[in-house]
Amino acid sequence: NAGVTQTPKFRVLKTGQSMTLLCAQDMNHEYMYWYRQDPGMGLRLIHYSVGEGTTAKGEVPDGYNVSRLKKQNFLLGLESAAPSQTSVYFCASSPPHTGALNTEAFFGQGTRLTVV
Amino acid sequence: GQQVMQIPQYQHVQEGEDFTTYCNSSTTLSNIQWYKQRPGGHPVFLIQLVKSGEVKKQKRLTFQFGEAKKNSSLHITATQTTDVGTYFCAGKLRSGGTASKLTFGTGTRLQVTL
């Protein structure tokens, strides 16, 4: 089982360049998320999606855009990369939540992005 | 700012010693989840707590949800080198909108040496 797959795994960008991170899940999950992980900051939510065609902002959405054109894919775009966006990016997916409960989130392997 | 804090940020123990990490939220949580991330890896779900005062055990790991649902703890008895990693709590903030928005804590990195 592939689970959640992120591409690429590593990338170095120059300031001002653009790129798209791809997240694909084969578990038919409704919900998908993009997090960034920085030392001492934990995981911070960038954007998330509760279904195909819908997206919403998380805690730190500035400088990022997302799209969920297909249920299994969630794309994270950086239009003009900045050094502050150097981070490890994790995609996750989960089944729909029930009432006050959250469901288990399954994470991809991460993308290590460096902006110079 | 960060609404879910964890302490300590880092702890180094000798194998066989106990370890506890604490998760504190500025607002009431509807539920709390715990994840473990091995060095160089990705977070992996451990458990979810829902009820006030709830305690759950997984072998040497004991998870507790506070009575006021604003804090939680993870206690590891007799640590082993396989426990090395970063432990995150994550919760749905009661005032934070939909259940789909998990807020992660800052994490506690555990190092275990022989």
Side-chain angles (χ1 to χ4, degrees):
Chain A
N1 292 336
V4 180
T5 304
Q6 291 181 233
T7 52
K9 289 184 172 48
F10 303 93
R11 185 72 186 268
V12 178
L13 284 180
K14 293 183 178 178
T15 297
Q17 285 185 319
S18 63
M19 80 162 294
T20 300
L21 281 66
L22 171 63
C23 177
Q25 53 97 2
D26 62 2
M27 296 174 282
N28 201 35
H29 287 165
E30 290 293 330
Y31 295 178
M32 296 187 75
Y33 319 81
W34 276 106
Y35 291 90
R36 60 176 289 173
Q37 183 174 28
D38 303 291
M41 302 294 289
L43 290 156
R44 291 183 292 170
L45 184 63
I46 305 172
H47 286 279
Y48 64 102
S49 167
V50 299
E52 181 179 318
T54 70
T55 63
K57 293 181 180 180
E59 302 170 66
V60 289
D62 294 343
Y64 305 95
N65 57 76
V66 288
S67 65
R68 183 99 182 267
L69 298 179
K70 293 183 179 181
K71 185 178 182 178
Q72 63 268 33
N73 296 335
F74 195 27
L75 278 63
L76 178 70
L78 286 73
E79 290 189 350
S80 180
S84 61
Q85 293 178 305
T86 293
S87 187
V88 179
Y89 291 86
F90 285 100
C91 174
S93 71
S94 72
H97 301 152
T98 306
L101 294 180
N102 286 308
T103 49
E104 175 183 350
F106 294 81
F107 283 80
Q109 299 295 324
T111 296
R112 187 173 295 275
L113 175 66
T114 302
V115 183
V116 298
Chain B
Q2 202 92 23
Q3 292 181 288
V4 181
M5 305 296 294
Q6 282 182 253
I7 54 171
Q9 189 172 351
Y10 170 76
Q11 185 147 10
H12 185 175
V13 300
Q14 289 200 312
E15 190 176 48
E17 292 181 335
D18 291 356
F19 160 78
T20 304
T21 173
Y22 299 91
C23 176
N24 298 297
S25 171
S26 55
T27 60
T28 303
L29 301 168
S30 294
N31 57 70
I32 192 93
Q33 295 183 344
W34 284 91
Y35 289 78
K36 177 183 178 181
Q37 183 180 24
R38 293 182 187 275
H42 59 279
V44 175
F45 176 84
L46 294 175
I47 206 161
Q48 176 166 257
L49 304 171
V50 180
K51 298 176 184 176
S52 171
E54 187 171 12
V55 178
K56 286 189 177 180
K57 293 190 176 186
Q58 286 181 350
K59 296 183 180 178
R60 295 177 295 104
L61 278 61
T62 302
F63 304 85
Q64 189 163 7
F65 201 7
E67 292 290 342
K69 301 184 81 173
K70 294 181 75 171
N71 56 72
S72 181
S73 65
L74 158 59
H75 179 81
I76 302 178
T77 304
T79 54
Q80 299 175 359
T81 54
T82 53
D83 295 325
V84 165
T86 300
Y87 293 85
F88 292 99
C89 62
K92 171 184 177 297
L93 303 179
R94 185 159 281 176
S95 62
T98 65
S100 51
K101 198 169 169 181
L102 260 184
T103 299
F104 276 79
T106 45
T108 295
R109 187 161 68 93
L110 172 64
Q111 180 64 34
V112 181
T113 52
L114 295 171

